[in-house]
Structures are given as C-alpha cells and as structure tokens.
Amino acid sequence: MSPKVGMGPVRREQIVRATVRCLAREGYTRLTMKKVAREAGVSQGILHYYFADKRAILVATLEAVSRDLDRRVGAAQSRTGRDPAARLRALVRACLEVAVGRPEFWVVFVEFWGEMMHDRRLREVNAEVYTRTRRLIGRLITEGVAAGRFRPVDPPRAAAVVLGLVDGISLQLTFDPKAFSLAEAARFCDDALGRYLAKETP
C-alpha cells in the first residue's frame, strides 16, 4: 500500500511519536508492530511500508529523539550569545529540562542501550549519536579555551566528561525525580563543570 504523495514525512513522524509513547509505557520487549500501528492510528500495511521491523522503528525513534534534543539545545544556546561557558551551561540545562519535562525521551535511550548490547548495527548507530554530541561539546570547549574562559584541556576527552555528567544527572532526574529538583541538578552540573574547566589561579 503506497502512501499519498507528500505524506511520507508526516507518516514517519506519526509512527515515531507513537513508538516513543509505546516504549515509555511498555518497553521494547513488549513492543509489537501491531501496537505501534494502533497507537499511530495507521494500518499495519502503512507501517510496514515505512519500516521493515521493530528494530528499524527503534533506530528511527532514537534518531528522532536525538534530533529533537539537538533542536532544544540549539534554541537554548541561541538565547545566550556567543560566550562558550554560557552556551555550555545552556546545553546542560536543556538536557536536564528534557529529563524532567519529557522523561519518555530518556526511556527511549535506555531501551535502545539495552538492545544495542546484542546488536552491532545498533551499537554503530549509538556511536554515531555520541560522536556527534561529543563533537558539539568539544567545539564549545575549544572555543572556551581559546577565549580564556576554560583551562587548557583536551577537548575530546573533556567533552566525554561533560557528556558523562549530563547523562548521569539526566537519568537520575528521569528515574528518581524526587531525589533532587531541576534547579538543584543545574547547580550540581554548574558547580562540577566550573571546577573541572576553571582556569587555575596563580
């Protein structure tokens, strides 16, 4: 069954968003093509036209969630000006806000990580996502070092440290929201990154 002309992007988005909701409710092991089709309000024929199997839907869903997070980060950074330190804080804050406001996004990541341990292709997709994110953070750190805002560090390694902090705090906000508030989480990260990247005083 072929879709109507021009409906492709709309249908894919519809299916991906339905998959996010299904994953948040039931997890990947209980996910079926039938459930996704029902949640998306499309026939199974339409679903199979776009995605061969639920592995393909999982990949598309991770990529869509990652793009959405990138857009949120970009929007937050656009309000900070060009200061690298402010842009880095905006990146961190945007990720933490997603953990609080859209926890299902982080559920997608967790479900994906569980499956990728047994699937080389999924590991490759995850590596692509993380490589792109480390590069983004690394560019900010490079700019901060050049501007004298950060101490001299190796940008790729420092980016991995920053990403590890963001992932760890975001996951705690997602799965243990009573442990601390968003404001407290932002302060944790600001303090940790401030200490890690601060220039040494003579």
Side-chain angles (χ1 to χ4, degrees):
M1 180 184 298
S2 299
K4 294 179 181 178
V5 175
M7 283 297 293
V10 175
R11 284 293 189 216
R12 288 181 65 87
E13 177 76 9
Q14 188 177 352
I15 292 166
V16 163
R17 294 303 170 188
T19 304
V20 171
R21 295 192 295 272
C22 289
L23 287 171
R25 269 200 317 267
E26 302 184 77
Y28 183 76
T29 56
R30 298 180 65 186
L31 186 75
T32 65
M33 300 289 275
K34 183 176 181 179
K35 287 179 180 178
V36 173
R38 185 168 60 241
E39 182 73 25
V42 301
S43 69
Q44 285 188 258
I46 287 289
L47 185 65
H48 281 283
Y49 179 86
Y50 291 105
F51 300 101
D53 53 32
K54 71 180 210 174
R55 266 296 199 268
I57 295 179
L58 182 63
V59 171
T61 302
L62 179 81
E63 291 172 341
V65 166
S66 299
R67 287 193 302 271
D68 195 320
L69 186 55
D70 288 346
R71 286 192 294 269
R72 291 168 186 267
V73 167
Q77 290 179 326
S78 70
R79 298 189 290 269
T80 66
R82 300 185 62 82
D83 176 50
R87 290 172 65 80
L88 183 60
R89 285 195 300 273
L91 180 150
V92 171
R93 178 80 184 207
C95 293
L96 299 179
E97 287 175 350
V98 167
V100 172
R102 300 295 302 273
E104 66 273 19
F105 279 25
W106 280 99
V107 172
V108 170
F109 277 101
V110 171
E111 292 292 337
F112 189 92
W113 292 336
E115 291 304 309
M116 79 174 184
M117 299 306 296
H118 313 289
D119 188 311
R120 180 181 58 81
R121 175 56 188 146
L122 296 186
R123 289 196 297 274
E124 291 172 353
V125 171
N126 188 73
E128 291 167 4
V129 170
Y130 267 72
T131 296
R132 185 178 70 245
T133 305
R134 284 193 297 269
R135 284 175 180 162
L136 171 64
I137 296 171
R139 284 197 296 271
L140 288 175
I141 292 171
T142 298
E143 293 171 9
V145 171
R149 300 285 278 123
F150 302 146
R151 68 182 178 87
V153 292
D154 179 74
R157 287 175 171 77
V161 171
V162 173
L163 186 53
L165 175 67
V166 172
D167 275 359
I169 297 297
S170 294
L171 286 171
Q172 290 180 71
L173 278 173
T174 298
F175 299 113
D176 191 11
K178 294 182 179 180
F180 42 79
S181 68
L182 172 60
E184 288 175 313
R187 286 198 298 273
F188 297 161
C189 292
D190 285 349
D191 182 61
L193 293 178
R195 293 172 185 272
Y196 176 60
L197 294 171
K199 293 184 68 176
E200 296 180 2
T201 55

